[in-house]
Amino acid sequence: MALQPRNSRRSSIDIWPGFVDALSQLLMVIIFILLVFTVGQFYLSDALSGRDQALKKLQHQIDDLADLLALERRSNSELRANAAASEARLKASLAERDRLQAQIADLTAKEQAAEQQGAAGVARAEQAEQALAAEKAISRDALAKVDALNQAIAALRDQLSQIAAALDASKAKVKQQEAQIVDLGKRLNLALANKVQELARYRSEFFGRLRQILGNRPDIRIVGDRFVFQSEVLFAPGSAELTDPAKKELDQVFAALKQIAAEIPPDLHWILQVEGHTDSRPIHTAQFPSNWELSAARAISVVRYAIAAGIPPQRLAAQGFGDKQPIAQGDTPEAYRLNRRIELKLTER
């Protein structure tokens, strides 16, 4: 009997070092996994930062292209105005040329008539010759004016051709810029949609954790993207002071939010929006003159407690809606109970 305990002690001593080695190896594996997770988080943050910079660069390019497009449009307007003015001058020149040509034809007819009447007498012939000379001088002046007008018309046509070519080039450039703006807009919208989807994933995870923590309680519900507390869970009737049981409920909510917030990338600008609602029965006290004041005071009480629980103030917002956004219609006690509520919504700022 004395030998048996001694053998048992020797056996336990032989096993102990192997157990310590196993624990050491397990600890080294855990440390290695933590290091891999830390490096992964670092590269993920760096990738998200680069994406933000790309978004900002795309936005600057869009602004620059919009400015260039506005400048091109002003240039197009000026070119169209110049073209219209040139066409008006061209029409006026053509009308003047036609008038002068008609005058020349009339003078030519008069010249022929004067020549035919030359045989009537020397006196009349001399007078006719003098009149003819005068008419010829007028004709020469008119022809000179017609030549000048023809040259002006040719110059105007060249100018119109240049303006038309400039308009065509400008239209092509505008189309190219509009295509670039549309492409950049699509890329920007895609990036924004990715941000929204990423926030929606964290919102879903947050509400999923709250559902696990609080269970299926009828007075605490998840409706769409909102977490709804009935006011009786948090406040006494007509009061905006959180009860002690309410603080315990909210502690679980804010603990889950802090865990999720630690995983949300810093470039996602999220906030927890706290909304206060009352039923339709009016309240009128010295502290709360109307339902607006009561709903706002309750939302502010929840926000203050969230700050005390460690939620950053810049991630919180309080709103009071009074009885203006009911979720149940009617004047029944059940409708009153459902409309008295505090809603939490994880959303984008």
Side-chain angles (χ1 to χ4, degrees):
M1 295 299 294
L3 292 175
Q4 186 174 357
R6 191 179 297 114
N7 291 335
S8 299
R9 287 194 299 271
R10 184 180 300 111
S11 177
S12 63
I13 292 171
D14 293 337
I15 293 172
W16 177 253
F19 180 73
V20 172
D21 291 339
L23 286 177
S24 300
Q25 292 175 359
L26 179 60
L27 181 60
M28 291 176 65
V29 170
I30 292 172
I31 293 172
F32 177 75
I33 292 173
L34 289 174
L35 287 174
V36 171
F37 179 77
T38 304
V39 171
Q41 287 294 101
F42 171 77
Y43 282 107
L44 179 59
S45 299
D46 185 65
L48 290 175
S49 175
R51 186 173 59 186
D52 258 359
Q53 293 176 358
L55 285 175
K56 291 180 180 178
K57 185 175 180 181
L58 287 175
Q59 187 61 47
H60 288 315
Q61 291 178 355
I62 289 174
D63 294 339
D64 292 339
L65 287 174
D67 293 339
L68 289 174
L69 181 59
L71 182 61
E72 288 296 331
R73 285 175 176 168
R74 287 196 297 270
S75 299
N76 287 343
S77 300
E78 293 175 359
L79 288 173
R80 290 190 180 96
N82 291 336
S86 297
E87 288 179 356
R89 291 197 300 270
L90 177 60
K91 290 179 181 179
S93 299
L94 291 173
E96 180 66 17
R97 185 189 64 179
D98 293 339
R99 187 185 66 80
L100 292 174
Q101 286 178 345
Q103 186 178 1
I104 291 172
D106 183 61
L107 292 174
T108 302
K110 289 180 180 180
E111 180 181 359
Q112 292 174 355
E115 289 178 353
Q116 292 174 358
Q117 294 175 358
V122 177
R124 292 182 60 188
E126 290 177 355
Q127 292 177 358
E129 286 178 0
Q130 292 176 358
L132 181 60
E135 293 295 338
K136 287 181 178 180
I138 294 174
S139 297
R140 286 194 295 270
D141 293 340
L143 288 173
K145 289 181 180 180
V146 169
D147 291 338
L149 285 173
N150 286 332
Q151 293 176 0
I153 289 170
L156 286 173
R157 284 176 177 168
D158 292 339
Q159 187 177 1
L160 284 174
S161 299
Q162 294 175 2
I163 291 173
L167 281 173
D168 293 338
S170 178
K171 287 179 181 177
K173 189 174 182 181
V174 167
K175 288 182 179 179
Q176 183 181 5
Q177 291 174 347
E178 287 177 347
Q180 291 177 353
I181 289 175
V182 170
D183 181 60
L184 289 173
K186 290 179 180 178
R187 293 166 63 184
L188 181 60
N189 290 334
L190 179 61
L192 292 175
N194 290 335
K195 290 286 186 182
V196 171
Q197 291 176 358
E198 193 171 359
L199 181 60
R201 180 172 64 85
Y202 288 110
R203 182 192 299 124
S204 176
E205 185 176 352
F206 172 58
F207 287 151
R209 291 190 185 181
L210 291 184
R211 187 180 287 109
Q212 292 176 357
I213 292 171
L214 300 175
N216 296 322
R217 295 177 50 177
D219 53 356
I220 303 176
R221 298 173 295 120
I222 295 178
V223 181
D225 61 348
R226 297 169 182 269
F227 199 82
V228 181
F229 285 87
Q230 298 307 134
S231 293
E232 290 79 2
V233 178
L234 304 178
F235 304 100
S239 172
E241 295 294 329
L242 289 170
T243 63
D244 291 337
K247 293 178 180 179
K248 293 180 181 179
E249 298 288 353
L250 291 175
D251 285 340
Q252 300 179 74
V253 174
F254 296 144
L257 178 60
K258 286 192 287 187
Q259 292 178 358
I260 296 297
E263 301 174 7
I264 299 177
D267 59 337
L268 279 180
H269 303 297
W270 62 273
I271 60 170
L272 181 67
Q273 184 170 298
V274 182
E275 299 178 356
H277 301 266
T278 67
D279 58 34
S280 59
R281 292 175 296 182
I283 185 173
H284 186 72
T285 64
Q287 186 178 6
F288 306 115
S290 71
N291 290 357
W292 289 104
E293 282 80 2
L294 177 59
S295 63
R298 286 179 171 178
I300 291 171
S301 293
V302 175
V303 166
R304 285 176 176 168
Y305 190 72
I307 294 172
I311 305 299
Q314 65 271 19
R315 298 296 187 185
L316 295 165
Q319 290 183 306
F321 292 95
D323 60 336
K324 304 307 178 185
Q325 293 189 6
I327 58 174
Q329 303 298 325
D331 298 331
T332 64
E334 179 63 16
Y336 289 149
R337 187 186 70 82
L338 291 175
N339 289 331
R340 293 190 303 269
R341 67 197 189 277
I342 294 292
E343 295 186 0
L344 305 181
K345 180 179 180 182
L346 188 66
T347 185
E348 191 174 6
R349 186 172 63 193

